[in-house]
């Protein structure tokens, strides 16, 4: 009951006119930052943080606005993923796998509407979890050391084998390509240059935005141009712009499972929406994709990553608020915002700053509802993008993507690398190599390598540290299950079929 009382006080803070307006503003800006490739939540929060401080906004008002941009961007990231096959950030990569094929089938409207519902449910479940289970989950998360994080990364890569069931080798090759791109630059531990070839621009490695724009935006543009010049090319027709209640019910268990997975993954510091969406998508594929329709425009394949990455946004706030440890890159910026106001997050934050904490949690309830209400009427507007003539759409997409790349470090070299990666991505896609494993390998390789080295440093070079403890053992069992359970079930099915004959 004490939690509900404190939450009630939080709603009292939110319903002050200025804070209510900031919730609305954060939701709108967050949706735009998420929808525009090259921006995303971290850039949105970083841009608005100095403005909030300069304007002298109270800390609770600033955090309400900045967190609204954070979960609003996760909500909006689905738009370009579904309509243009260009993810706005890492968490939206898996949305493209079924979202874009649905748009190509003329179902962009239902895809946008369903993803909005899935995002809302995932976000709501995360907020409820943040409200009632934050201390408990923070205690669980603190048990994760370097060895546990390394095994978690192994588990994440193992799930890639499910991304392309007919040819898992190509998925693993994609992971290897992502790794090769990810290790370019200065080794953070030894200071050794790796594969930079003396080029100063590569000392810091590849920017995520350069990679994502290259492999998705540029390669997609090349495919668009190829198809547009083909006699068989046809613009997708919009059949309807709404999602039916039956379609939502069809995805209900997928949404609920993925929301829980996303929230739990978000609680683990340093993971983020990319891992949450990858794990939820691949587990759902193993559980429900009996007909092999994931990747071809399955509603469940769209609902899984969307509910997971929005739930992850809420989960990532748990370690930040309770432990002072950011759960993702964006929450690291939010942590910096608190420190800018001389507030140190940690176990005492709920006691020392109840107005701040419960005002933030209450604002997320309100903001999540606002996002759903704002986005549903805009589905018709978003679907109009697919009806823009290709002579206008193609250059607009590439200009927007390149502006995003250039805005990161004002480097023309990054534009050239995005173009080269785009050509590579084009040939990989022509050879039917999936792009999601490439991005997953790129995003996770640094985290995996750092934790591998830290674990060996703690154990004195002994590998048995990766097989000690209940968390490690559980993760290894799940990893093995991903590889062998489908093979065993297929073998049993064949035996059963032969027995019936």
């Amino acid at each position: 009951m004490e939690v509900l009382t404190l939450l009630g006080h939080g709603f009292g803070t939110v319903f002050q006119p200025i804070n209510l307006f900031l919730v609305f503003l954060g939701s709108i800006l967050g949706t735009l930052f998420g929808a525009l490739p090259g921006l995303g939540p971290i850039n949105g929060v970083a841009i608005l943080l100095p403005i909030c401080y300069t304007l002298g906004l109270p800390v609770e008002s600033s955090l309400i606005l900045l967190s609204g941009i954070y979960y609003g961007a996760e909500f909006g990231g689905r738009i370009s993923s579904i309509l243009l096959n260009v993810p706005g950030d890492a968490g939206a990569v898996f949305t493209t796998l079924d979202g874009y094929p649905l748009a190509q089938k003329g179902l962009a409207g239902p895809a946008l509407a369903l993803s909005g519902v899935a995002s809302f449910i995932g976000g709501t479940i995360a907020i409820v979890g943040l409200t009632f289970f934050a201390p408990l989950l923070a205690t669980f998360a603190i048990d994760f050391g370097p060895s546990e994080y390394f095994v978690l990364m192994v588990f994440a890569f193992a799930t890639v084998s499910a991304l392309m069931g007919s040819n898992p080798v190509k998925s693993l090759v994609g992971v290897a390509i992502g790794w090769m791109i990810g290790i370019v630059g200065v080794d953070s531990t030894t200071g050794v240059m790796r594969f930079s070839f003396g080029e100063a621009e590569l000392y810091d490695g590849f920017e995520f935005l350069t990679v994502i724009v290259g492999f998705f935006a540029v390669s997609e543009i090349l495919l668009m141009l190829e198809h547009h010049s083909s006699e068989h090319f046809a613009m997708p027709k919009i059949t309807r712009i709404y999602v039916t209640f039956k379609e939502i019910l069809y995805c209900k268990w997928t949404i609920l499972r993925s929301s829980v997975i996303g929230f739990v993954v978000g609680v683990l510091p340093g993971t983020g929406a990319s891992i949450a969406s990858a794990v939820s998508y691949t587990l759902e594929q193993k559980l429900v994709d009996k007909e092999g329709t994931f990747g071809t425009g399955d509603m469940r394949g769209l609902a899984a990553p969307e509910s997971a990455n929005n739930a992850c946004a809420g989960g990532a706030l748990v370690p930040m608020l309770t432990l002072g440890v950011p759960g993702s890159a964006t929450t690291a910026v939010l942590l910096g915002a608190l420190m800018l106001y001389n507030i140190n997050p940690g176990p005492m934050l709920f006691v020392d700053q109840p107005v701040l904490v419960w005002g933030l949690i209450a604002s997320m309830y309100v903001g999540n509802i606002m996002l759903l209400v704002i986005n549903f009427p805009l589905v018709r507007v978003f679907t109009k993008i697919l009806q823009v003539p290709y002579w206008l759409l193609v250059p607009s997409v590439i200009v927007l993507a390149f502006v995003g790349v250039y805005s990161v470090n004002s480097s023309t070299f990054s534009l050239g690398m995005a173009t080269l990666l785009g050509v590579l991505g084009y040939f990989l896609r022509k050879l039917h190599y999936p792009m999601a494993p490439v991005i997953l390998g790129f995003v996770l390789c640094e985290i995996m390598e750092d934790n591998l080295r830290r674990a060996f440093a703690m154990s004195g070079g002994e590998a048995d540290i990766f097989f000690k403890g209940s968390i490690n053992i559980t993760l290894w069992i799940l990893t093995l299950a991903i590889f062998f359970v489908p093979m065993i079930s297929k073998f049993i099915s064949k035996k059963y079929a032969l027995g019936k004959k």
Side-chain angles (χ1 to χ4, degrees), residues 408-419:
V408 173
N409 51 20
S410 302
S411 169
T412 54
F413 180 83
S414 298
L415 299 179
M417 294 310 301
T419 304

Side-chain angles (χ1 to χ4, degrees), residues 283-480:
L283 287 181
E284 281 303 306
Q285 189 177 34
K286 290 292 188 186
L287 288 172
V288 304
D289 187 23
K290 308 302 181 185
E291 302 83 17
T293 54
F294 271 46
T296 63
D298 192 307
M299 289 284 191
R300 297 166 299 181
L302 171 64
E306 274 305 300
S307 50
N309 61 35
N310 281 270
C312 184
L317 290 171
V318 174
M320 188 199 82
L321 294 174
T322 58
L323 302 175
V325 178
S328 65
T330 310
T331 52
V333 181
L334 291 174
L335 182 66
L338 288 175
M339 292 180 174
L340 190 64
Y341 284 91
N342 295 318
I343 294 175
N344 294 315
M348 295 303 294
L349 185 66
F350 282 75
V351 177
D352 297 337
Q353 299 285 344
V355 174
L356 169 65
V357 173
W358 293 103
L360 170 63
I361 294 173
S363 75
M364 294 177 70
Y365 282 101
V366 177
N368 213 31
I369 295 172
M370 281 187 179
L371 282 167
L372 187 66
V373 173
I374 290 168
N375 277 265
F376 258 115
L378 293 177
V379 167
R380 183 183 296 273
V381 177
F382 294 146
T383 55
K384 293 294 183 183
I385 293 174
L386 292 179
Q387 298 174 342
V388 175
Y390 263 57
W391 62 265
L392 179 59
L393 179 62
V394 169
S396 299
V397 171
I398 200 66
V399 167
L400 184 64
F402 274 14
V403 166
V405 171
Y406 189 79
S407 67
V408 173
N409 51 20
S410 302
S411 169
T412 54
F413 180 83
S414 298
L415 299 179
M417 294 310 301
T419 304
L420 289 176
L421 291 175
V423 173
L424 173 62
Y426 168 76
F427 285 110
L428 288 174
R429 292 171 71 171
K430 292 290 288 183
L431 295 171
H432 305 292
Y433 282 84
M435 288 294 99
V438 178
I439 302 302
L440 193 65
F442 173 76
V443 170
L444 300 187
C445 74
E446 183 178 358
I447 303 171
M448 191 174 186
E449 183 183 10
D450 287 346
N451 283 290
L452 174 67
R453 289 180 169 180
R454 289 170 57 200
F456 274 130
M458 290 174 62
S459 66
E462 297 295 329
D464 61 350
I465 190 173
F466 300 108
F467 303 94
K468 291 180 179 178
S470 58
I471 296 175
N472 279 341
I473 293 171
T474 301
L475 288 171
W476 281 120
I477 291 172
L478 290 173
T479 302
L480 292 173

